[in-house]
Amino acid sequence: MKKRSHTCLLATTMASILLLMMVLYGSISSHQHQESTPFRHDYQLLGRPLFKLDISWPKYPELFRGAVFAVAVNHYGEVVYVAQRGDAVPKVLVFTTSGDFLMAWNTSTLEMPHGIFVADPESSNPTIWITDVGNGPYGHCVKQYSPSGNLLQVLGTPGTAGSRLSPLQFDQPAEVFVHGSGEIYLVDGDGGANNRLIKLSKDLEVLWVHGERGPGLAQFYIPHSVTVDGYQRVWVADRGNKRIQVFDAVTGDWLATWGSCFPEDAPYSVRLTPDKKYMVVVQLNVNRVSLLEAPPVGVVGQCKVVGMIRLPDDVKPHLVDVDQKTGALYVAEIGAGQAQKYVPIHQDGGAFY
């Protein structure tokens, strides 16, 4: 009887030691994994859960070696362009939408990329438009590139900041949006003297301009991002005034202002989901990606936040783009030095987009 009791005691003790070792090892492994990827798994979904992080994209995040400012998606070619800043780093990295690395642009014609956009993605010759806010000999311009990084044309005078007198003389242009018609929308003035929204024809003729600094209607203070919906409305993230302004894309007439959704921090980026039901808005200082209800045709109304992705402190999301085929979000994060991908969460048997 005593021998059996000793055997049971020994077995129990060994099992307890083994369990303790497993707990300790699991805790250490989990801690080490979190330390090696401090930003990648830490986020919260608030409100309606519409997106989740794709932790597999990109497959080689160590390729990000600068401050990541912008991202653009060619949904037809399934290619993602990421713009970054820094000394001795490639200014544009190219990935597939599944996360494979394709190439880095070896170009000396970019100083400080700010915004990036893929024009005419479904054609055989898509082009990449980049705004450059640098103060050197290549800055204060809007540039068009081939998908491999060859410079095709430059809008503005390289190295010369604008004075608000010429529509095509820029001062730290923030972002460009090229419509399927070929018409171009520019927000000019990421902290520079200009505070303008400009519409150009596909032949680069100025169609209309709003160009006065201030808090009034159709005035701007650091217009930072621009997009166009399916109802011929232009949406501008008026960063310094903590609001979004809406304009008629044809006439340029002011339509509405959204400000009630941004009491804490300004909108930095505006994009629409493929079904045009949700507006994706990035807020850098509060580390947040918000999903707003996009209004139907004929009505703008008041803004309403329906969902939110809350990121860790100091991630600093700057600009966002949306895959117009899959609905995935790609967020450029200055503080984290990376771009991340969020995919739609399926609801009621299907995706929301």
Side-chain angles (χ1 to χ4, degrees):
M1 180 67 82
K2 289 184 178 180
K3 183 176 181 181
R4 183 178 179 183
S5 298
H6 286 301
T7 303
C8 291
L9 180 61
L10 180 61
T12 303
T13 302
M14 292 179 64
S16 299
I17 293 172
L18 180 61
L19 178 61
L20 179 60
M21 291 176 64
M22 291 174 64
V23 170
L24 288 173
Y25 179 77
S27 299
I28 293 171
S29 296
S30 176
H31 180 66
Q32 288 176 340
H33 182 69
Q34 290 175 359
E35 285 186 342
S36 64
T37 55
F39 297 107
R40 193 155 296 277
H41 297 289
D42 189 8
Y43 71 100
Q44 290 179 296
L45 296 179
L46 303 177
R48 191 181 305 170
L50 297 176
F51 291 89
K52 62 181 179 181
L53 179 65
D54 181 353
I55 61 174
S56 68
W57 193 96
K59 295 179 181 178
Y60 304 100
E62 63 272 15
L63 292 170
F64 298 128
R65 295 190 291 115
V68 176
F69 268 74
V71 61
V73 188
N74 180 341
H75 66 276
Y76 190 78
E78 300 182 345
V79 178
V80 182
Y81 299 85
V82 180
Q84 62 178 358
R85 299 183 195 173
D87 296 330
V89 301
K91 295 302 189 290
V92 176
L93 301 174
V94 187
F95 301 89
T96 67
T97 54
S98 59
D100 293 313
F101 176 68
L102 294 178
M103 71 176 74
W105 285 9
N106 183 23
T107 178
S108 60
T109 60
L110 276 173
E111 289 183 16
M112 296 176 63
H114 188 277
I116 186 169
F117 187 85
V118 178
D120 206 11
E122 297 185 8
S123 76
S124 58
N125 295 300
T127 58
I128 318 303
W129 290 77
I130 299 177
T131 59
D132 193 332
V133 299
N135 291 313
Y138 298 105
H140 300 296
C141 288
V142 180
K143 303 169 184 180
Q144 183 187 32
Y145 291 87
S146 73
S148 60
N150 294 319
L151 182 62
L152 303 177
Q153 70 171 328
V154 177
L155 306 185
T157 304
T160 302
S163 60
R164 293 179 290 180
L165 299 178
S166 170
L168 295 183
Q169 192 68 35
F170 307 110
D171 189 350
Q172 300 185 30
E175 195 177 60
V176 57
F177 182 97
V178 184
H179 192 266
S181 63
E183 295 171 328
I184 300 171
Y185 299 82
L186 291 160
V187 280
D188 177 28
D190 182 41
N194 296 341
N195 287 271
R196 306 184 299 182
L197 168 64
I198 305 169
K199 180 181 179 180
L200 305 177
S201 71
K202 62 180 180 181
D203 298 320
L204 304 182
E205 296 179 358
V206 178
L207 299 179
W208 50 259
V209 180
H210 289 291
E212 186 177 352
R213 174 172 172 169
L217 305 182
Q219 294 179 331
F220 300 102
Y221 178 38
I222 311 180
H224 200 259
S225 181
V226 59
T227 194
V228 181
D229 67 15
Y231 307 124
Q232 295 188 321
R233 296 178 298 200
V234 184
W235 299 77
V236 178
D238 187 5
R239 193 185 103 188
N241 288 318
K242 288 188 177 181
R243 64 186 182 181
I244 292 174
Q245 294 201 71
V246 192
F247 300 86
D248 185 294
V250 178
T251 64
D253 293 339
W254 176 90
L255 297 177
T257 295
W258 278 4
S260 61
C261 290
F262 316 109
E264 299 175 84
D265 188 26
Y268 273 66
S269 184
V270 287
R271 285 292 184 267
L272 289 156
T273 55
D275 60 1
K276 306 300 186 281
K277 289 183 178 180
Y278 299 99
M279 184 162 293
V280 185
V281 177
V282 165
Q283 295 172 276
L284 180 143
N285 293 303
V286 293
N287 300 288
R288 183 184 299 163
V289 181
S290 296
L291 287 306
L292 281 58
E293 281 189 355
V297 61
V299 179
V300 176
Q302 295 297 314
C303 59
K304 179 183 177 182
V305 179
V306 297
M308 188 182 301
I309 303 170
R310 180 177 291 171
L311 302 171
D313 291 343
D314 299 323
V315 165
K316 304 300 182 187
H318 185 244
L319 292 173
V320 65
D321 202 14
V322 181
D323 188 319
Q324 293 299 307
K325 181 168 65 176
T326 68
L329 310 181
Y330 293 85
V331 183
E333 300 171 354
I334 297 175
Q338 63 184 12
Q340 295 203 97
K341 177 182 180 181
Y342 292 84
V343 295
I345 295 175
H346 292 252
Q347 299 178 3
D348 299 326
F352 78 89
Y353 54 87

